[in-house]
Amino acid sequence: MPKKDVPGTGRIIGHQLRWWTELPLIVLVYAAYSAGRLLARGDVSSAVDHGVGILRAEQFLRLDAESPLNRLFTAHAWIGVPADFWYASLHYLVTPAVLVWLFRSRAVHYRAARAWLMISTLIGLVGFTLLPTCPPRLLSAGHGFVDTMAQYSDYGWWGAEASAPRGLGGMTNQYAAMPSLHVGWALWCGVMLWRHGRSPLVRAAAVAYPLITTLVVMGTANHYFFDAVAGAAVMGVGLLLVRPVQRLTGPVMERLRERFTRTAAVASAPESSIVSGECQTSPGERFPRQRKHSAVPGAEPSVHPADAADSAAAPAR
């Protein structure tokens, strides 16, 4: 059945979205991303070399904005503490919230938006694997960076190891800095809010959220400026791949959807029909001499021809 947009509602007739099929898919992709990000640790020395190389390239081009921002964040707690909370939490709250909003009120755009986010996330995982990068906060003190997450750890749930809760820092990959998916996901949220939002406040949030996130990831010394640029580039590549990927996966998803629908229909169908008393038959099965009752109220029950012949042949008493 083809998908049809219902004017004025943003909803789809046909392949209706179901949260119980969407949620496992999103959880599966996020679990794969988290596991891959953890496993793609790489060599520490090469990660440090990559980080120093990025920093030197930025300094040569005078684009090392993370250095003055980090000094500002560490000198003023009223800036640094909210920035740490922003970095540690909004990444995991705003993105799912925008997904749910699209699912509920902009369903006609949801699948393409979800595919864009997932494709870009998997591309980011490839980047973590191929280019493990030491973030500024883990470079030697001679480079002048301060880890604001460690400096202000008494204010939050995180410890000295990234934004993970205390005691769980060993379960994170601290060298998965290139590209910055904090920036990439924030950019995705901004685009969705700008395209599908209605009020000026939503449009303002669409612009502010990715910009502030970019400043936060640099000021907290978790990412370089080039990491943020790479995060935006990954989202651009993911956007270009949405239609080709949907064309490739469309037939498979269609078969899975049809199979799921067929299975659900069979499961909801009655397993038996009652004939009389305790007797039951499977759908379509008929006992000899079984009479079929008319669907019209008050009509006489119809008699099967064979039963009629039997009744005619019976001797009168």
Side-chain angles (χ1 to χ4, degrees), residues 3-13 15 17 22 98-117 188 191-198 239 242-243 246:
K3 294 180 287 184
K4 297 180 181 179
D5 183 15
V6 181
T9 65
R11 299 189 179 276
I12 296 176
I13 296 177
H15 301 321
L17 296 170
E22 290 298 313
V98 174
L99 267 174
V100 171
W101 172 66
L102 290 172
F103 179 85
R104 292 179 60 87
S105 61
R106 301 291 186 272
V108 71
H109 305 289
Y110 171 79
R111 284 196 176 97
R114 177 202 61 194
W116 179 20
L117 181 65
W188 178 88
V191 172
M192 294 299 107
L193 293 174
W194 181 269
R195 290 185 61 187
H196 308 303
R198 294 291 181 264
L239 180 59
V242 168
R243 288 188 178 180
Q246 286 185 321

Side-chain angles (χ1 to χ4, degrees), residues 11-145:
R11 299 189 179 276
I12 296 176
I13 296 177
H15 301 321
Q16 190 174 0
L17 296 170
R18 303 292 186 183
W19 69 266
W20 57 82
T21 60
E22 290 298 313
L23 183 60
L25 176 62
I26 294 173
V27 170
L28 178 63
V29 172
Y30 182 75
Y33 158 73
S34 299
R37 189 176 186 271
L38 179 61
L39 295 174
R41 293 178 181 270
D43 180 62
V44 173
S45 61
S46 64
V48 172
D49 292 340
H50 293 155
V52 173
I54 291 173
L55 180 61
R56 288 175 178 170
E58 290 182 356
Q59 291 171 342
F60 177 78
L61 297 172
R62 300 183 182 277
L63 295 174
D64 54 328
E66 59 270 16
S67 298
L69 283 171
N70 183 242
R71 289 193 294 269
L72 178 66
F73 282 31
T74 54
H76 302 283
W78 66 273
I79 299 177
V81 173
D84 286 342
F85 276 99
W86 187 292
Y87 181 83
S89 59
L90 293 192
H91 183 55
Y92 305 104
L93 298 177
V94 176
T95 310
V98 174
L99 267 174
V100 171
W101 172 66
L102 290 172
F103 179 85
R104 292 179 60 87
S105 61
R106 301 291 186 272
V108 71
H109 305 289
Y110 171 79
R111 284 196 176 97
R114 177 202 61 194
W116 179 20
L117 181 65
M118 291 182 175
I119 293 168
S120 302
T121 299
L122 295 177
I123 295 173
L125 178 57
V126 174
F128 300 152
T129 305
L130 299 180
L131 193 69
T133 303
C134 178
R137 63 185 177 80
L138 294 182
L139 294 177
S140 61
H143 293 283
F145 291 101

